[in-house]
Amino acid sequence: MASIVLYGMNISPPVRACQLTLRALELEYEFKEVDLLAGDHRQEEFLKKNPQHTIPLLDDDGVLVWDSHAIVCYLVDKYAKSDELYPKDLVKRSQVNQRLYFDASVLFMALRNICAPYLYNNVTEIPKEKSDNVRDGYGHLETFLGENPYVNGDTLTVADFCCAATASSLPAFVELDAEKYPRVTAWLKRLQELPYYEEANGAGATKYVDMLKGQLTFL
Ligand SMILES: N[C@@H](CCC(=O)N[C@@H](CS)C(=O)NCC(=O)O)C(=O)O
């Protein structure tokens, strides 16, 4: 049995960010399905491992880490042959961290604040400020990218994995307008060329968008 276990569901963007990182690092891992809709994450056995009852959860031979951003950094720090995906240099790391916290606190929250009320309480009417938050998120990414291929410049980092896992799911709510956000559109296309992208993120993102698109009314 693999010593690394990832708990999750592939429709979940933060789970997919971890899968992208695991695949980029060529790590073997076991995937344990946690069905949020069936309430698996509220079962005692899961709560003992993650009292915050969120996926993804990483169990690395007994070391429990949750929050995708903490997981991807842990994986690179522990297993990567180079620090390219999560630089050790203080200044470079601070910039990658900024994008990671942006995903955690702004981009992903724009998604979660629409998705969770629908999935758990069947809230289908979405106030304009919530879809505006998605547009703001795309706008910030567009600015961060500037003329660069990746969100932190010339080099692919874990911040790309986290932001892309979320950004590729947001069209469930607001279409990514290629004319308005050409850099975001080109960046996502660039990431799609990674050999492991489709399996680690693409398929789950498509499933997520298909599941939600057309279910909601935007006010
Ligand atoms: N900041 C967290 C967010 C995790 C999160 O909210 N995951 C959702 C699924 S996409 C979840 O587990 N929801 C169940 C719950 O919060 O009870 C991360 O990046 O891991």
Side-chain angles (χ1 to χ4, degrees):
M1 208 203 283
S3 74
I4 300 178
V5 180
L6 182 70
Y7 290 81
M9 262 179 125
N10 84 337
I11 52 167
S12 158
V15 171
R16 287 186 261 113
C18 296
Q19 289 179 296
L20 283 164
T21 307
L22 285 158
R23 293 295 304 275
L25 296 174
E26 300 179 349
L27 293 171
E28 295 283 324
Y29 67 101
E30 183 186 351
F31 189 80
K32 284 200 181 161
E33 186 81 16
V34 176
D35 186 344
L36 296 181
L37 299 173
D40 293 353
H41 61 311
R42 300 269 182 177
Q43 297 298 318
E44 202 183 326
E45 201 191 331
F46 189 79
L47 288 173
K48 271 195 218 148
K49 292 183 192 281
N50 175 3
Q52 203 185 322
H53 50 76
T54 51
I55 53 167
L57 165 70
L58 185 83
D59 184 343
D60 181 16
D61 209 12
V63 176
L64 298 170
V65 189
W66 69 89
D67 193 289
S68 58
H69 309 87
I71 293 171
V72 297
C73 296
Y74 168 86
L75 287 170
V76 178
D77 278 345
K78 177 156 182 196
Y79 292 109
K81 292 183 186 92
S82 85
D83 69 346
E84 199 167 281
L85 284 172
Y86 189 47
K88 288 201 190 334
D89 174 84
L90 182 65
V91 175
K92 286 187 187 159
R93 182 163 283 209
S94 75
Q95 303 306 294
V96 175
N97 285 340
Q98 185 281 319
R99 304 309 196 229
L100 289 172
Y101 297 141
F102 164 75
D103 179 60
S105 61
V106 177
L107 201 60
F108 177 74
M109 290 314 293
L111 175 146
R112 188 184 156 108
N113 287 338
I114 298 175
C115 183
Y118 169 67
L119 288 183
Y120 301 122
N121 295 308
N122 201 31
V123 176
T124 55
E125 294 202 337
I126 312 302
K128 187 170 176 303
E129 60 263 29
K130 288 199 179 182
S131 45
D132 281 346
N133 288 339
V134 176
R135 282 181 277 274
D136 282 352
Y138 286 147
H140 288 309
L141 274 178
E142 187 74 11
T143 309
F144 294 163
L145 280 160
E147 297 302 319
N148 298 312
Y150 300 109
V151 294
N152 281 107
D154 284 337
T155 315
L156 178 76
T157 70
V158 287
D160 292 289
F161 294 155
C162 290
C163 292
T166 307
S168 58
S169 309
L170 287 172
F173 314 119
V174 178
E175 210 59 67
L176 178 64
D177 181 339
E179 282 187 18
K180 221 166 162 187
Y181 309 109
R183 292 162 172 166
V184 179
T185 307
W187 163 72
L188 283 177
K189 283 216 175 90
R190 195 168 297 122
L191 293 182
Q192 281 163 16
E193 276 155 30
L194 294 168
Y196 47 83
Y197 178 91
E198 185 52 29
E199 205 185 313
N201 185 64
T206 303
K207 200 163 149 194
Y208 181 86
V209 173
D210 290 348
M211 178 180 86
L212 289 156
K213 219 171 174 181
Q215 302 300 316
L216 308 169
T217 307
F218 292 88
L219 303 176

